[in-house]
Amino acid sequence: MPAHPRRLHLAAAALTTALALSLTACGGTGTGTASGAAPGPSALAAAKGAVTVTLWHGLGGPAGEALQKEIDAFNKANSGKIVVKASFQGSYADAIAKYTSAVRGDGTPTVMVTNDITTGYLRDAGQTVSAQAMAAANPDDLDLDKLRPAARSYYTADGKLLAVPLNTSMPLLYVNDKLLAKAGVDRSTLGTLQGVAAAARKIHTAVPSVKGIDQPFDDWWFEQLSAAAGAPYCTPDNGRKGTGATAASLTGDAQRTAIGTMAELYTDGVGLDTGTDGNAALSAFVAGKTAMMFNSSGAIGGLTQAGMKGYTALPYPLSSPSAGAAVGGAAMWLDQAGHSAAEQVAGWKLISYLASAPAQERFAEASGYAPINTGVDDSAAWKAFLAKNKPYAVLAKQFADTPATTATSGCLSGAMQGVRDVVVPQMQQAFSGKVPLDSALKAAEKAATQKIQDYRKQAGQ
């Protein structure tokens, strides 16, 4: 599993425009738009012969292998009834670009596994039937109440669950045990951002050759700082009501304080700038160049591969006691437009299986993601696994403890990739000391709001 699975490699502006423009094609000839009515079990029961389900995803490495293993098991258990054909579509960006083309070309998959920031676009595209509706129409399958609140909240709009999470990552704080001990850092102070900042300064003072902290400059981390401060990233309500976000919100007092706390570490020479690549941040931490690191929970796998010993994973620090981190990863969307009722129900059965406690437990152990089904918590095997793998235990507890709030739900907008593309350069300017933080935040907010408004105009919202 890569250190930061969220990274998108396509040009953000071009992709955002393509996504928005593709919405106008949804109502034309061909697939059209989803009706919203969810079919029930009788649709599958009436099917003659095995029903074929197609699934597209962007999971590579151990996660992709674990996913295929579960699909093979599902096919075996449903032999003669359902046949699932899964295909890897490249990165998350590649996968959503191909899906966008498929919407225009009448060739969408039954189930689309795509990452968190595409939620706004998938909602706007109108090709899918909601998980909420499918669960209500098929009560013997997935129990939505078993999904962890933080993950469920991220994929919910207007009180309706749109898609079912498959693989979930979260931000964590990683610390070098020896360097913290050498600097005399009290770990009980690392539960808040202010405590982490103080510790970083203490470490750099005690060991001048080592920087106190590093983090990737991917915009996910500025979104995390906002969520952990209890502040929404977009207005109104992080886009969770109505037609989604209408503007970015980056200059509130809580955000300014949180982002400013981190920015000062870098302008004061305490933080190490490793650029936008999470792997670069990880490499610096492994090499002992930094004593602490903010990185995705996916970095656990990277640290294991690097053979690093003597580190501890800790929960992501909060700026507000009632706040929490936002989830990452991807979810399973069930396409309705252009797919028969029997195929939809078969696809829902696949989604229900992949989100079940047994499948999530196996998938989590193999991939390093956090299981989204709370039923896993009752498994003796899972408890034994966590006892032997402390970083995963920290991840599991943080995931379970994260409140489902407006701030932790993240911003719902089809323009999120474009938003990220304009926010990051401004933050880099501020963290390098080239531009005052307040000026950078105002410029980022203005540019991000423009991206959102452009998307909404192109999408006819």
Side-chain angles (χ1 to χ4, degrees), residues 129-444:
V129 58
S130 74
Q132 197 83 33
M134 288 302 295
N138 298 270
D140 292 334
D141 293 322
L142 181 63
D143 180 358
L144 300 186
D145 289 337
K146 291 291 186 181
L147 301 181
R148 295 198 189 280
R152 182 172 175 174
S153 176
Y154 193 98
Y155 298 101
T156 295
D158 288 325
K160 180 173 65 178
L161 183 66
L162 305 175
V164 176
L166 170 65
N167 53 299
T168 300
S169 59
M170 297 199 83
L172 292 174
L173 171 66
Y174 299 87
V175 302
N176 183 306
D177 297 333
K178 290 184 178 179
L179 289 174
L180 260 65
K182 188 173 184 178
V185 171
D186 179 359
R187 294 192 185 202
S188 68
T189 65
L190 302 181
T192 66
L193 184 62
Q194 293 76 13
V196 170
R201 294 180 182 280
K202 188 173 185 178
I203 292 164
H204 187 55
T205 298
V207 190
S209 61
V210 173
K211 297 292 186 179
I213 196 167
D214 69 358
Q215 71 168 39
F217 274 88
D218 184 307
D219 191 50
W220 194 47
W221 295 95
F222 305 111
E223 294 162 28
Q224 293 296 348
L225 287 169
S226 293
Y233 206 68
C234 311
T235 58
D237 302 309
N238 248 344
R240 296 291 156 175
K241 298 178 181 179
T243 60
T246 59
S249 178
L250 309 178
T251 56
D253 291 342
Q255 288 165 304
R256 201 273 176 218
T257 298
I259 295 174
T261 296
M262 286 300 298
E264 288 177 3
L265 294 178
Y266 282 81
T267 55
D268 291 347
V270 177
L272 178 65
D273 184 353
T274 55
T276 60
D277 188 357
N279 288 309
L282 185 147
S283 296
F285 181 71
V286 170
K289 295 180 180 179
T290 61
M292 297 187 293
M293 169 181 70
F294 286 145
N295 216 319
S296 163
S297 52
I300 297 172
L303 293 170
T304 301
Q305 289 181 337
M308 184 173 183
K309 306 293 183 182
Y311 81 91
T312 300
L314 299 173
Y316 188 70
L318 306 179
S319 298
S320 170
S322 60
V327 303
M332 300 174 283
W333 295 77
L334 182 63
D335 259 46
Q336 185 177 66
H339 299 276
S340 70
E343 187 181 341
Q344 292 171 50
V345 176
W348 179 249
K349 285 193 173 296
L350 171 65
I351 290 172
S352 298
Y353 171 84
L354 293 174
S356 68
Q360 277 290 305
E361 180 177 340
R362 293 188 296 267
F363 181 78
E365 288 189 14
S367 68
Y369 285 103
I372 56 93
N373 195 306
T374 59
V376 175
D377 299 342
D378 298 325
S379 167
W382 178 247
K383 292 177 182 178
F385 174 80
L386 294 183
K388 295 180 180 179
N389 297 271
K390 297 299 184 183
Y392 290 103
V394 172
L395 169 61
K397 187 176 187 307
Q398 175 173 291
F399 191 16
D401 292 346
T402 298
T405 65
T406 298
T408 61
S409 296
C411 176
L412 182 65
S413 169
M416 276 307 294
Q417 185 54 45
V419 167
R420 288 182 169 185
D421 197 53
V422 296
V423 168
V424 170
Q426 293 297 334
M427 293 301 95
Q428 288 178 316
Q429 291 286 307
F431 277 54
S432 66
K434 296 179 180 178
V435 174
L437 177 62
D438 289 327
S439 297
L441 287 172
K442 289 179 181 178

Side-chain angles (χ1 to χ4, degrees), residues 56-84:
W56 288 4
H57 68 89
L59 296 175
E65 295 171 4
L67 174 60
Q68 187 58 56
K69 187 174 181 180
E70 292 302 326
I71 289 173
D72 290 343
F74 178 85
N75 279 336
K76 184 177 180 180
N78 291 275
S79 179
K81 299 178 181 178
I82 302 173
V83 177
V84 179

Side-chain angles (χ1 to χ4, degrees), residues 1-23:
M1 178 179 172
H4 203 312
R6 309 167 53 82
R7 195 152 288 104
L8 300 178
H9 301 292
L10 296 182
L15 179 58
T16 301
T17 299
L19 296 180
L21 292 178
S22 74
L23 300 184

